[in-house]
Amino acid sequence: MANPAELLFDLLSSWQGGNSPKTNRADDGSLTKHRLAVKYLEEIQLILKAMSSAGKRTAVFQRKIPEWAQTIFNYPNDWTSPNAGGINQADLDVLESLIDLVGEYVQPMDTGQFDSVKQYLEHVEKTLIEDESLDSVSVASCRAMIQNLRTVLDQYAVRGDFELNQCLQNLLGNLALITLKSNQKSKWSKLLDGFIFPYAVNNVPALGPGIVQALTSG
């Protein structure tokens, strides 16, 4: 499992202790780790909203959002002191207590299915290129989604279950639109009915027949 609360906790924990917080926070020129931390925090906020809508008590976690954000950005401190950027253990403890709760709202993935997903994406991309009835914008947009999904699969350890699931859902919706636009609907219908979700729980290799009708009816 790699839910956003767990990923943020692990990253912030890696910034704590050791020689100095400043050294631990070392990042590349694009601040990849810090940008990932922000992504995790935004995903946590989305899940907290879902939890609240379901009647769960989330106030204690909602109050911690600003503090976790300040920890990520080391605000209002600076980087001139070797001791700058210390992380409050109480903030980490609350974040750790959120991991299991968030896990109930994030579908875990089966990494053993990733190769099958990648093969499916190759088939989709090949079909896109060969379908001359589709406009160039639709093709380019779908190929961009496919490439992004490949990246998330390759970087699963740091991108996590939540983002991967969102990418899969987005591509599924996009393929439904492609099916509507294409003059080769039977080909796309068959391809869409074979859409692969690499879920570890209640895992099935495909969605089964009828998905096109379910997505495009009405």
Side-chain angles (χ1 to χ4, degrees):
M1 180 186 295
N3 75 58
E6 182 178 14
L7 290 168
L8 182 58
F9 174 80
D10 289 345
L11 181 55
L12 295 184
S13 296
S14 73
W15 288 352
Q16 188 184 45
N19 296 327
S20 74
K22 181 179 178 180
T23 301
N24 294 344
R25 284 174 176 264
D27 209 339
D28 59 29
S30 298
L31 297 179
T32 299
K33 292 180 180 179
H34 286 75
R35 289 162 59 195
L36 283 170
V38 172
K39 180 186 83 75
Y40 302 150
L41 189 59
E42 290 176 344
E43 292 171 352
I44 288 171
Q45 287 184 280
L46 289 175
I47 295 171
L48 286 175
K49 288 181 180 179
M51 292 170 63
S52 180
S53 296
K56 304 291 185 181
R57 295 180 183 271
T58 63
V60 65
F61 303 116
Q62 296 283 6
R63 288 195 295 269
K64 284 294 181 180
I65 293 292
E67 296 178 31
W68 292 332
Q70 290 172 15
T71 298
I72 292 170
F73 291 105
N74 191 27
Y75 177 86
N77 300 314
D78 57 54
W79 299 106
T80 58
S81 170
N83 296 320
I87 297 176
N88 187 306
Q89 184 61 48
D91 291 343
L92 277 181
D93 291 343
V94 175
L95 181 57
E96 185 175 24
S97 71
L98 182 59
I99 292 174
D100 288 341
L101 295 175
V102 165
E104 297 178 10
Y105 287 79
V106 180
Q107 178 70 63
M109 299 289 176
D110 178 6
T111 57
Q113 291 275 15
F114 284 9
D115 286 342
S116 296
V117 176
K118 291 178 181 179
Q119 290 174 9
Y120 177 83
L121 294 179
E122 290 179 3
H123 190 189
V124 171
E125 192 164 34
K126 181 176 182 294
T127 306
L128 275 173
I129 295 171
E130 294 174 348
D131 191 343
E132 297 181 354
S133 69
L134 294 172
D135 62 273
S136 59
V137 174
S138 296
V139 173
S141 176
C142 190
R143 293 188 73 182
M145 285 190 175
I146 290 171
Q147 184 53 49
N148 182 57
L149 181 49
R150 286 189 179 118
T151 299
V152 174
L153 287 167
D154 289 339
Q155 299 178 2
Y156 171 72
V158 295
R159 302 294 283 267
D161 290 318
F162 188 87
E163 183 177 3
L164 177 52
N165 184 60
Q166 292 297 306
C167 288
L168 288 165
Q169 297 283 356
N170 291 340
L171 181 60
L172 177 60
N174 189 259
L175 292 182
L177 292 176
I178 290 290
T179 303
L180 288 175
K181 293 179 178 180
S182 175
N183 291 335
Q184 302 178 23
K185 285 183 171 52
S186 60
K187 180 183 292 186
W188 283 104
S189 177
K190 181 178 179 181
L191 190 61
L192 187 53
D193 279 340
F195 197 97
I196 296 174
F197 280 87
Y199 290 157
V201 179
N202 297 324
N203 190 15
V204 291
L207 293 180
I211 188 61
V212 176
Q213 289 80 359
L215 287 170
T216 61
S217 62

